[in-house]
């Protein structure tokens, strides 16, 4: 387990390098749900997603020799962008391995930040194999996207900020993929507000953590194209940290459809004035779809990223892949 002390240390360490993002009330969602609903605007982070917190926390703990050798990671896009940014700021160099499923806008932004980009295979597991080979051959330092204590502690700083801004928090909806964000946020929230519920939300196609929790151990899943592309990929069969933390700390896991994710993206833009990617919209999608049976408030929804291809965003806003909004609740 990653405890409150490590998360607080991470918060102090990364404070000069990240934005303390706002937690703002959503009048529309609050009216719909009959309780206070706030949005944690983590998509306003410097690299467009929460991932910078974990990446910065990890790189800042490398020694000079490790930074000089360079860092490497597999990524579905946002971790690669954050690691590239943090590595450049620390005087290091990043190599990012990604599958063919990663959207082109995320790949091009990682290249713009000066990283070496490798496109390998059709899954996150394929990219991870390339990472391990190159790390062994070139002596690069692996900074995993989620299953690492420094990454989890860095992402957990989001939970600290939520509890500090909303002391009576009752429910937190957090996007769930490999579990670094969900594990870190849940560790912070449960330490500070033990009665609060933390609910993970993922897409219903290839949700690796949900499948693993259901199976009772880490499992591999087939990866699919999804509006929530950042939530794709496996959790690793040798998962050390995030599987066990999510198993203990998460109160529930909710899956949303592609249509529901599109509705979440539309709602964020039309009612909240925010541009979010599919992974960043899954909490809103879960609330609108009525898939959360009990809505104890106040509620915080974590909007995790904004790095969506704008052509796709315009299509969704214009009504493609979208359905009408529904009331909250069962």
């Amino acid at each position: 387990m990653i405890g409150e002390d490590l998360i607080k240390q991470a918060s102090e360490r990364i404070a000069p390098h990240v934005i303390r993002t706002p937690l703002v009330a959503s009048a529309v969602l609050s009216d719909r749900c009959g309780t206070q609903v706030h949005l944690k605007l983590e998509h306003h982070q410097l690299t467009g997603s929460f991932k910078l917190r974990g990446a910065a926390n990890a790189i800042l703990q490398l020694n000079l020799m490790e930074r000089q050798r360079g860092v490497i990671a597999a990524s579905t896009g946002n971790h690669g962008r954050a690691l590239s940014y943090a590595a450049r700021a620390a005087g290091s160099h990043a190599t990012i391995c990604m599958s063919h499923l990663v959207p082109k806008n995320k790949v091009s932004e990682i290249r713009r930040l000066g990283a070496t980009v490798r496109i390998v295979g059709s899954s996150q597991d394929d990219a991870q194999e390339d990472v391990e080979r190159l790390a062994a051959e070139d002596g690069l330092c692996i900074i995993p996207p989620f299953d690492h204590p420094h990454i989890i502690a860095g992402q957990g700083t989001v939970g600290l900020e939520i509890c500090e801004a909303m002391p009576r928090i009752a429910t937190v909806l957090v996007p769930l993929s490999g579990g670094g964000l969900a594990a870190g946020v849940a560790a912070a929230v449960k330490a500070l507000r033990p009665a609060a519920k933390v609910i993970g939300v993922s897409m219903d196609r290839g949700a690796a953590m949900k499948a693993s929790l259901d199976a009772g151990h880490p499992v591999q899943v087939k990866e699919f194209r999804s509006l929530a592309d950042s939530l794709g990929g496996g959790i690793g069969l040798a998962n050390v940290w995030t599987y066990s933390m999510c198993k203990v700390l998460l109160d529930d896991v909710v899956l949303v459809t592609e249509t529901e994710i599109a509705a979440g993206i539309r709602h964020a833009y039309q009612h909240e004035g925010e541009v979010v990617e599919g992974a960043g919209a899954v909490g809103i999608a879960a609330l609108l779809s009525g898939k959360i049976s009990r809505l104890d408030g106040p509620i915080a929804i974590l909007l995790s990223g904004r790095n969506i291809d704008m052509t796709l965003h315009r299509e969704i806003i214009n009504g493609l892949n979208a359905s009408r909004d529904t009331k909250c609740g069962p």
Side-chain angles (χ1 to χ4, degrees):
M1 287 289 174
I2 302 300
E4 178 186 356
D5 289 346
L6 287 179
I7 298 173
K8 287 184 174 179
Q9 290 169 19
S11 181
E12 294 174 0
R13 185 178 296 114
I14 69 176
H17 308 280
V18 303
I19 296 172
R20 185 182 177 91
T21 54
L23 184 69
V24 301
S26 167
V28 175
L29 291 176
S30 296
D31 287 345
R32 281 176 175 270
C33 300
T35 189
Q36 294 181 44
V37 179
H38 283 65
L39 306 175
K40 178 63 170 170
L41 306 185
E42 195 59 21
H43 62 301
H44 288 192
Q45 197 53 257
L46 292 170
T47 58
S49 83
F50 72 94
K51 288 284 191 177
L52 183 58
R53 295 173 182 265
N57 190 46
I59 282 186
L60 290 171
Q61 295 183 75
L62 298 179
N63 61 41
L64 180 60
M65 185 174 295
E66 289 170 329
R67 294 186 194 188
Q68 289 176 339
R69 287 203 302 263
V71 297
I72 188 170
S75 174
T76 54
N78 285 339
H79 177 64
R81 182 172 178 175
L83 189 63
S84 301
Y85 180 98
R88 187 171 70 172
S92 186
H93 178 79
T95 298
I96 309 299
C97 302
M98 296 174 283
S99 81
H100 290 283
L101 295 179
V102 176
K104 291 181 180 179
N105 66 303
K106 294 184 177 180
V107 175
S108 62
E109 181 60 21
I110 291 170
R111 286 199 172 104
R112 187 190 69 79
L113 289 168
T116 298
V117 172
R118 293 179 57 84
I119 307 298
V120 182
S122 59
S123 71
Q124 183 84 332
D125 291 334
D126 292 338
Q128 184 60 37
E129 289 180 9
D130 202 40
V131 165
E132 293 168 2
R133 180 182 62 80
L134 289 171
E137 291 177 357
D138 300 334
L140 304 177
C141 183
I142 299 176
I143 306 290
F146 52 87
D147 194 36
H148 190 283
H150 298 339
I151 296 294
I152 297 168
Q155 320 305 27
T157 61
V158 180
L160 286 184
E161 292 178 12
I162 290 173
C163 290
E164 290 168 0
M166 188 180 289
R168 294 178 53 253
I169 186 68
T171 305
V172 180
L173 305 185
V174 55
L176 176 62
S177 179
L181 177 63
V185 168
V189 171
K190 296 290 187 178
L192 296 171
R193 308 287 181 267
K197 293 182 179 180
V198 181
I199 299 174
V201 188
S202 194
M203 70 288 195
D204 68 349
R205 290 155 44 94
M209 184 62 78
K210 171 63 171 171
S212 297
L213 293 172
D214 288 346
H217 57 86
V219 298
Q220 289 182 313
V221 297
K222 184 177 180 180
E223 292 184 38
F224 298 91
R225 291 194 178 277
S226 172
L227 292 175
D229 55 89
S230 295
L231 302 185
I235 69 167
L237 296 180
N239 187 289
V240 176
W241 294 93
T242 60
Y243 169 77
S244 60
M245 290 184 69
C246 287
K247 181 178 181 180
V248 171
L249 296 173
L250 292 183
D251 294 281
D252 197 6
V253 176
V254 174
L255 302 182
V256 290
T257 67
E258 296 299 299
T259 299
E260 290 162 349
I261 295 169
I265 294 171
R266 290 180 67 211
H267 174 94
Y269 183 74
Q270 294 174 339
H271 298 288
E272 314 294 347
E274 302 290 344
V275 173
V276 295
E277 59 186 283
V282 293
I284 293 176
L287 211 57
L288 294 176
S289 68
K291 290 184 173 178
I292 301 174
S293 57
R294 290 190 60 188
L295 294 169
D296 298 326
I299 299 169
I301 303 176
L302 206 163
L303 307 188
S304 58
R306 69 167 183 261
N307 300 320
I308 187 172
D309 178 87
M310 291 310 296
T311 299
L312 174 61
H313 187 269
R314 284 190 291 270
E315 291 177 350
I316 292 171
I317 299 308
N318 289 335
L320 298 181
N321 304 315
S323 65
R324 66 179 181 86
D325 291 343
T326 59
K327 293 283 187 181
C328 292

